[in-house]
Amino acid sequence: MTEDNNWDEDLEEDAAIEGNFSIWLMYVLCNYLVVAVLVALPCGHRMPADYVVAWFKYYLKQEKKTEFSCPRVHVQGKSCSKNLSYQDMCRLIPLTDKQREFLEENLAALVARRLFDFKACPGCQSHVERRDRGNLCVHCTICTANLKRNYYFCWNCRREWKGPANNGVRCDNDGCGQRVRTSDPLIPCKPEFKKKMLQEMGDDIYPLKDKSQDRKRLALLINNVDFKNLNYRTGADKDELSMEVLLKGLGYTVITLRDLSAQGMHAAMRDFAQREEHDKSDSCFVVLMSHGDAKGICGVFDSIEDEEDVFQAEEIFNCLNTPNCAGLKDKPKIILIQACRGGKKGSVIVQDAVSRRNRAKEHIEKEFCCLRSCTPDTVSYRDKEKGSDFIQDTVEIFNQHAHQDDIEELFRKVIKKFKESHPDQLPCKERITLSKKFYLFPGL
């Protein structure tokens, strides 16, 4: 992960002395590619450039608006209200070609959706305008060129068109034109079960707020996919989507940030901990997905000299502990980490391991429950088509059992499934400081 830096340490100073702006600019741009640069925003806040870009992408994904607010959160829990535009981004941050292309395409699509009738083609995902609003059959020129045949899709069910080419009601695909309920894999909890558990367990169960507009649950999902000098995490898109669907089904508003450096991840955790929504919440989730090794969770940038772009899991606990996150005091904080922790394989021919228990207890750090994708020094596996075993199996277990099991039992079932189905990898629970049972009661 470490890569030597070929730039002379005195180059920046020499360039300033000689007034050579070109050398200085090249120095800044190259350093932007290897370490996270702190940028000063118009509001005066300084934060990692990659964090600002990731926040803008999150706003665009929500299809909110072409401007977004500074992501810094004050100690009082109030977000900075200063708006930033794409023009501000270009002025403050030397965007890569890939970042610029992504932002401009999504900005254009957002504006186009306001003015025209646009949808993404199911074949190529490009945005296509429906010119005849009385006809559900829409022609995609890109798919037609790629497939070397006419390609039409249904505006209603967004599948390749079947049937007569002019129909404003439905195509001939099964289910088109009907009000089809999107299948929710998450089994809802029955009200009588929740009532029973609350009565039987009394003070041994964490109190949960009932589903209402006053309940503000938050989840932070960081997914590092595209790295400067590490392999692209193909399949991570599937993990991100699966986890978003699960968390939203459990009643959490999900803040999804992509491709952060270690500094960016720390800034995201710091601001997440200060969000005012936690005061009206009963719990939170933090999910990190990235490359990793024995030193920690990898950021997306290169290393420079002796400094590596590595985020320590310890920082999650520090940001969310009692002194630093008053809004989540005495409330469950659930952490899921999908990342390798070394290069060793987890399976052996003869198993003769002695279990270890963490006996340390600190009042400053309580109500945590963390499940990591593998044991120390071992690897985590990810399928390029399906996503990682850890995220996909965790989502499956939650979907099937969260309506009746508490969080530690859910984690136990994830571990059990790995023991039976994936012998080369074994998730492990860490730093469990829950003093009560935490039930999610999905749907309630």
Side-chain angles (χ1 to χ4, degrees):
M1 225 175 85
T2 303
E3 180 176 333
D4 293 333
N5 181 22
N6 297 323
W7 283 86
D8 191 316
E9 294 179 358
D10 297 326
L11 180 56
E12 184 179 18
E13 181 180 354
D14 291 343
I17 293 174
E18 297 174 9
N20 192 330
F21 179 78
S22 298
I23 294 178
W24 175 83
L25 180 60
M26 189 178 298
Y27 174 87
V28 172
L29 290 177
C30 287
N31 264 321
Y32 170 76
L33 295 176
V34 293
V35 294
V37 167
L38 293 177
V39 295
L41 302 182
C43 56
H45 290 129
R46 292 175 59 85
M47 57 190 63
D50 58 286
Y51 176 46
V52 179
V53 174
W55 196 258
F56 197 7
K57 289 182 177 180
Y58 167 71
Y59 261 71
L60 288 176
K61 184 178 178 181
Q62 306 308 305
E63 299 184 359
K64 291 186 176 181
K65 51 187 178 181
T66 56
E67 289 187 336
F68 73 106
S69 299
C70 165
R72 176 57 54 85
V73 179
H74 301 290
V75 177
Q76 296 84 1
K78 297 290 185 180
S79 298
C80 178
S81 58
K82 180 67 176 180
N83 282 340
L84 293 162
S85 66
Y86 175 62
Q87 288 72 24
D88 293 326
M89 296 271 290
C90 292
R91 179 172 55 84
L92 296 169
I93 301 172
L95 298 172
T96 64
D97 290 342
K98 185 178 291 187
Q99 289 173 333
R100 191 181 297 274
E101 180 181 0
F102 176 91
L103 294 174
E104 290 180 354
E105 284 185 356
N106 282 271
L107 280 168
L110 181 59
V111 173
R113 279 193 291 272
R114 293 176 180 175
L115 300 176
F116 306 101
D117 201 7
F118 273 86
K119 278 189 180 179
C121 167
C124 63
Q125 300 304 312
S126 63
H127 289 88
V128 180
E129 180 186 4
R130 179 171 66 148
R131 297 182 183 276
D132 182 2
R133 303 204 174 193
N135 187 11
L136 293 174
C137 182
V138 181
H139 182 227
C140 176
T141 56
I142 294 178
C143 285
T144 295
N146 291 339
L147 299 173
K148 295 181 171 52
R149 63 175 176 82
N150 283 326
Y151 180 88
Y152 298 88
F153 69 92
C154 177
W155 197 255
N156 188 33
C157 68
R158 291 190 64 240
R159 288 177 284 180
E160 185 169 2
W161 184 267
K162 289 184 179 179
N166 197 330
N167 196 318
V169 179
R170 55 161 294 171
C171 68
D172 286 350
N173 282 305
D174 292 339
C176 183
Q178 302 174 10
R179 187 176 179 85
V180 181
R181 180 182 177 273
T182 304
S183 59
D184 186 356
L186 184 64
I187 300 176
C189 177
K190 295 181 179 180
E192 51 268 29
F193 175 79
K194 179 180 180 179
K195 182 178 180 180
K196 175 185 175 183
M197 297 307 296
L198 292 174
Q199 289 176 344
E200 290 182 355
M201 304 201 69
D203 292 337
D204 288 332
I205 190 172
Y206 285 101
L208 294 186
K209 295 179 180 292
D210 292 329
K211 187 176 181 180
S212 68
Q213 292 183 347
D214 293 331
R215 187 180 73 181
K216 306 290 184 182
R217 287 178 172 174
L218 285 183
L220 176 64
L221 195 165
I222 297 175
N223 187 18
N224 289 340
V225 181
D226 194 3
F227 294 77
K228 180 67 173 69
N229 201 34
L230 294 171
N231 292 334
Y232 188 92
R233 294 184 62 246
T234 307
D237 289 347
K238 301 290 180 62
D239 288 344
E240 180 180 306
L241 178 60
S242 297
M243 188 55 65
E244 283 182 334
V245 172
L246 172 64
L247 292 173
K248 289 176 182 177
L250 292 171
Y252 293 85
T253 297
V254 186
I255 300 172
T256 302
L257 302 177
R258 272 216 184 184
D259 297 337
L260 295 179
S261 64
Q263 282 184 307
M265 287 186 272
H266 183 269
M269 283 303 314
R270 175 201 60 210
D271 287 340
F272 179 75
Q274 298 301 322
R275 298 281 296 235
E276 62 180 343
E277 291 93 333
H278 295 317
D279 291 332
K280 297 182 179 180
S281 178
D282 50 30
S283 57
C284 83
F285 270 79
V286 173
V287 183
L288 267 67
M289 301 185 289
S290 184
H291 284 304
D293 57 24
K295 297 179 181 179
I297 302 163
C298 296
V300 296
F301 292 150
D302 283 345
S303 306
I304 181 171
E305 295 180 354
D306 294 329
E307 296 183 12
E308 293 183 313
D309 191 22
V310 174
F311 178 76
Q312 303 296 332
E314 176 78 18
E315 292 302 313
I316 305 173
F317 297 88
N318 289 340
C319 288
L320 297 179
N321 65 18
T322 302
N324 294 325
C325 186
L328 290 173
K329 181 178 178 293
D330 298 325
K331 301 173 184 178
K333 296 164 279 285
I334 311 304
I335 302 166
L336 299 169
I337 302 176
Q338 160 60 35
C340 291
R341 304 178 70 180
K344 297 179 181 179
K345 292 185 177 181
S347 61
V348 292
I349 296 176
V350 179
Q351 297 183 1
D352 188 17
V354 179
S355 63
R356 294 172 56 190
R357 298 176 60 187
N358 184 1
R359 298 184 179 87
K361 294 181 180 179
E362 298 179 7
H363 183 67
I364 194 173
E365 180 187 299
K366 58 180 182 175
E367 323 309 341
F368 281 96
C369 191
C370 177
L371 184 67
R372 301 198 62 162
S373 60
C374 58
T375 52
D377 301 320
T378 63
V379 298
S380 292
Y381 293 97
R382 171 174 37 84
D383 187 277
K384 293 182 178 181
E385 299 294 331
K386 301 177 181 178
S388 67
D389 295 332
F390 174 67
I391 294 296
Q392 297 302 323
D393 284 0
T394 299
V395 169
E396 181 182 334
I397 292 295
F398 273 59
N399 283 334
Q400 295 178 356
H401 302 285
H403 67 289
Q404 60 185 11
D405 291 335
D406 70 283
I407 194 73
E408 289 197 67
E409 176 62 14
L410 292 171
F411 283 178
R412 187 194 68 80
K413 286 181 175 176
V414 172
I415 296 171
K416 180 182 178 182
K417 183 169 184 179
F418 267 78
K419 185 177 179 181
E420 296 170 349
S421 306
H422 312 293
D424 288 337
Q425 179 181 340
L426 191 65
C428 65
K429 294 188 287 185
E430 291 187 351
R431 296 171 74 149
I432 309 299
T433 55
L434 295 180
S435 58
K436 304 177 182 181
K437 296 281 188 179
F438 175 42
Y439 286 86
L440 290 160
F441 300 131
L444 300 178

